[in-house]
Amino acid sequence: MAQRTEERERRNETTVRRFFDELVVEGNYDIADEVLTETYVRHEMGPNPELTGREAFTAFIEGLRGGFSDVRVDIDELLVVDDYVVVRATERGTHDGEFAGLPPTGEQFEVGGIVIHRLEDGKIAETYACWDMLGMLRQLGVDPLAA
């Protein structure tokens, strides 16, 4: 039994690493069906409080990569417990395209985040994400509190 749990946890870690490295950073949308369930749901504090489905998520990532062509996510810590993978990560990039209606500023950002993934049968079914969006906007020279 312990060996099956270890195998499942290794598979889940591999899936989450592929999610960040291949899907988010490289923009390899062809692997979305390999790492996300068809009914994938992403909950986030930010401009997209909830996204449902693989297509909605890949569209979100296309928008992110369109605004930050060099976007990178570095996993700082990763914890796997059964079908949950918790990641503390650093995201960085250069604002060289339109993002969320903001014209490119040419500024760079670096923010931290915590992401919790729940997996089903080796695919991510649900994500809870919290990134420092206020810090990101400030680093881009945007004052979100300005009227």
Side-chain angles (χ1 to χ4, degrees):
M1 184 72 161
Q3 183 177 5
R4 288 193 347 219
T5 299
E6 288 176 21
E7 289 171 10
R8 184 177 73 225
E9 288 180 348
R10 270 195 303 275
R11 177 187 67 189
N12 290 344
E13 178 179 348
T14 297
T15 297
V16 169
R17 288 186 183 278
R18 289 187 71 206
F19 168 87
F20 284 115
D21 295 342
E22 296 177 42
L23 182 59
V24 175
V25 175
E26 294 175 14
N28 181 358
Y29 307 117
D30 293 337
I31 70 150
D33 62 340
E34 297 173 28
V35 298
L36 302 174
T37 64
E38 188 174 335
T39 58
Y40 171 76
V41 178
R42 178 183 176 89
H43 312 276
E44 183 169 2
M45 296 171 58
N48 296 301
E50 187 167 303
L51 297 171
T52 302
R54 285 190 289 241
E55 292 77 20
F57 182 73
T58 55
F60 168 72
I61 293 303
E62 284 179 330
L64 176 69
R65 292 179 47 73
F68 306 92
S69 63
D70 64 347
V71 70
R72 195 170 98 216
V73 179
D74 294 316
I75 295 175
D76 302 315
E77 292 184 83
L78 185 142
L79 173 67
V80 183
V81 179
D82 296 324
D83 286 325
Y84 289 86
V85 179
V86 180
V87 174
R88 183 179 64 80
T90 302
E91 183 175 35
R92 50 182 61 86
T94 306
H95 189 205
D96 55 6
E98 184 176 316
F99 176 71
L102 299 172
T105 63
E107 298 293 331
Q108 294 182 337
F109 80 95
E110 180 177 308
V111 296
I114 302 289
V115 182
I116 302 170
H117 297 286
R118 183 180 61 78
L119 289 88
E120 294 176 358
D121 298 320
K123 293 183 179 184
I124 302 169
E126 190 171 22
T127 298
Y128 289 85
C130 183
W131 293 94
D132 181 9
M133 296 301 292
L134 181 58
M136 175 188 183
L137 290 172
R138 286 184 171 157
Q139 290 173 51
L140 298 180
V142 177
D143 183 357
L145 303 176

